[in-house]
Amino acid sequence: AFSPAQQAAKPMLGLLDRGMGDGIAPVLLWCCLWAGTYVLLSLMSDHSAAWLSRIVAFAHATLTTLLAMRMLIFVGPWAFDSIGDPNTPLQTAIMQISLGYFLYDLGWLLVHDRSAPMLLHHVASALAMAASLYWGESGTEIVAGIAGGEMTGPLLQTGWFLRHSPAGRWTKPMTIISDVLFVVIFGLIRFGLGGTLLVRVVQSDKPRALIKAGATGLMLLTVVWYVVIVRKFLNEYVVVPRRQRSRPLLGVSQKSE
């Protein structure tokens, strides 16, 4: 027997499994839905643009990760066995959802945060998904990449929300747990499973050169990001606390007492 929540989700899952159609219309629809969600949140809340954007990012990461894991584990095909194969309806739907989000977020970045690495990442990701949708192939590795890329998204956003929470020091333990899990899982997923998948994609004769080049470029960008992430983590939890412990109490050296 299915729970009420499962019963309610069955029609939507069935629609996604069958696909939402081809062409650009579903992508534009999802782009409008993500943008509309952001606008609705901005009308209902006085939080900053960054805060509201991260709520939408949290929703996208959660939705696409759940759908991608459903494809990889329950529906199939398994990522390492079907590289370069024709897209399934569910793979197409997941890429349409995610491409719509990346187009919305690319617009948000151009207005609020013109970070070169983020813009480059969004453009490369959008091109890879658009190419797969246009050619109708390589959906397996693209969706696996989406799963790996978005799986740590909820942890990243949770850590940010906790760090900027009005509760202050009461959220510090949860922030530390969230940050540690993010750094560890990010490395394991991106370089463990992601690195293995990249090798399979590059060695396979099926994927087109653009897919291979895009996957390689995104991995190189991920390496740079991870170095930055680890340095920030060590600075916040190792370097700064050590400096604070070495400071004289109330600014007075113990030797002067």
Side-chain angles (χ1 to χ4, degrees), residues 12 25 48 80 107 122 143 169 207 225 246:
M12 177 59 71
S48 66
F80 297 101
H122 277 44
V143 170
R169 63 187 182 90
W225 267 354
S246 64

Side-chain angles (χ1 to χ4, degrees), residues 40-58:
L40 182 62
L41 289 172
S42 66
L43 295 174
M44 298 170 57
S45 172
D46 58 355
H47 283 296
S48 66
W51 185 289
L52 301 177
S53 174
R54 287 177 180 274
I55 293 177
V56 180
F58 184 98

Side-chain angles (χ1 to χ4, degrees), residues 190-233:
R190 298 289 184 103
F191 301 120
L193 294 177
T196 303
L197 181 62
L198 175 62
V199 172
R200 295 284 189 90
V201 169
V202 172
Q203 290 179 341
S204 175
D205 296 329
K206 291 184 179 180
R208 302 188 187 224
L210 180 61
I211 299 295
K212 295 182 178 183
T216 304
L218 285 172
M219 178 57 76
L220 292 175
L221 185 58
T222 299
V223 172
V224 175
W225 267 354
Y226 197 60
V227 171
V228 174
I229 289 170
V230 172
R231 289 182 64 182
K232 286 184 176 180
F233 179 85

Side-chain angles (χ1 to χ4, degrees), residues 121-173:
H121 169 266
H122 277 44
V123 170
S125 299
L127 286 175
M129 288 183 280
S132 178
L133 289 170
Y134 178 77
W135 289 323
E137 60 189 44
S138 288
T140 301
E141 55 266 36
I142 297 294
V143 170
I146 292 173
E150 299 298 335
M151 189 176 297
T152 52
L155 281 172
L156 173 64
Q157 308 307 338
T158 298
W160 191 91
F161 289 134
L162 290 171
R163 194 171 288 106
H164 293 80
S165 170
R169 63 187 182 90
W170 299 108
T171 63
K172 185 66 175 180

Side-chain angles (χ1 to χ4, degrees), residues 2-140:
F2 292 99
S3 67
Q6 290 173 318
Q7 290 284 2
K10 283 178 66 177
M12 177 59 71
L13 291 175
L15 174 63
L16 293 173
D17 287 344
R18 295 190 300 271
M20 297 179 292
D22 298 323
I24 196 173
V27 176
L28 294 179
L29 173 62
W30 279 103
C31 181
C32 291
L33 287 174
W34 294 120
T37 301
Y38 175 81
V39 172
L40 182 62
L41 289 172
S42 66
L43 295 174
M44 298 170 57
S45 172
D46 58 355
H47 283 296
S48 66
W51 185 289
L52 301 177
S53 174
R54 287 177 180 274
I55 293 177
V56 180
F58 184 98
H60 166 257
T62 303
L63 175 62
T64 51
T65 298
L66 291 175
L67 291 175
M69 296 307 294
R70 170 179 166 79
M71 183 214 81
L72 293 170
I73 297 175
F74 299 106
V75 178
W78 178 239
F80 297 101
D81 298 332
S82 306
I83 293 173
D85 284 358
N87 299 343
T88 66
L90 179 56
Q91 290 169 354
T92 298
I94 294 171
M95 287 188 287
Q96 289 168 341
I97 293 170
S98 202
L99 179 55
Y101 168 80
F102 273 91
L103 292 177
Y104 140 75
D105 204 45
L106 184 60
W108 188 92
L109 286 171
L110 290 172
V111 174
H112 297 282
D113 180 17
R114 297 180 182 178
S115 168
M118 286 297 293
L119 290 172
L120 180 61
H121 169 266
H122 277 44
V123 170
S125 299
L127 286 175
M129 288 183 280
S132 178
L133 289 170
Y134 178 77
W135 289 323
E137 60 189 44
S138 288
T140 301

